[in-house]
Amino acid sequence: MTTSVHQHFFHIALVALLAGCASDPVDYNTYKSPVNTTQSPPPPNPYISVKPKRPFQPRYRPLSNTSNYSSYSPNGDYVNNSSVRDFIQRMTDKHGFSESYLNGLFAKACRLDSVIRLESPAPSTGPTKSRIGSWTRYRNKFLTPDHIRNGVEFWHENAATIQKASQTYGVDPEYIVGIIGVETYFGRNIGKTCVFDALTTLSFDTYRRSKYFMSELENFLLMTREEGYEPREPVGSWAGAMGLGQFMPSSFRKLAIDFDHDGRRDLWHAEDAIGSVAHYFSKNGWEYKNPVAQEVDDNYDPSIIELSTYEGDEYWRVYHNFKVIKRYNNSNKYAMAVHQLAQAIKQQY
């Protein structure tokens, strides 16, 4: 029965992948969680499979890196792109990739117009959104009854792994859960964009951060070779972030770990994702059981940040661990959302 379920998901994923060039990726950065706790859960992601009675243990199983890209059509989106040819030559000279393999791979790459729009939005012509209440609006995306309830369930489902990761890397368990909750709603919103297509589009069809994304594309191809991933199989966000913890390829190569010891770092699986988030925090200097933030009455100190609510400004004294969270995303609102979600889940766990 389990084998047939996995085969079913594989066929769905394959159909979705083949249709990928004609489909726009979903911008999960604008995802708003349902507030009504009686609402039905989101439909299952066809790119991940769920173990029976383990709804929070998705595992994405890419094919091994055996596809033959040596023969290809000369009509792909990037076949005659000089920048792509230069990139292929660099990957061949620097990392020993087969030129014919990369030519065939990039011939199958799809230019994603929606990714271009998301990376290069048109200038706003309307009134600027008021700063007043900016923290309230941001917090309300993540501090919902559903986020807290699902965070508690995720912790229960993965209790042994979370405890092991906490003890191994010296990271408070609620913050491992909090990061995964803010990043992907505990694995429900890992993204469904072909990472290779997204990074290729961002590298060669956008300008603001093209050098950064070209470096991530380089790391992605090295990652697929090192881990045995078929490069057109991994799915993620429109910006190329992957798995439950949304690691970019460079972070994947440096900080992802094979926490379940199955021979592959698989951040689409909860166990490896949990261990990798804890490892990420540890490598960035997390201090176990030390404070993160504390609300105060004024802002007369450099260690105090100001957050705007509709009821007035909040002042928070932030500590070293708050800055560690910001290494994940350099935003005070992001780090505070992780902190408050982590604490809310811990209180109900």
Side-chain angles (χ1 to χ4, degrees), residues 169 171 254-257 274-284:
Y169 296 108
V171 177
K254 292 176 184 176
L255 296 168
I257 60 171
I274 288 165
S276 297
V277 168
H279 186 231
Y280 191 109
F281 274 157
S282 175
K283 286 297 186 181
N284 282 285

Side-chain angles (χ1 to χ4, degrees), residues 41-63:
N45 191 319
Y47 295 95
I48 57 177
S49 61
V50 176
K51 295 180 180 180
K53 300 182 180 179
R54 303 281 293 176
F56 298 102
Q57 288 280 9
R59 179 184 284 275
Y60 166 71
R61 292 185 174 87
L63 301 174

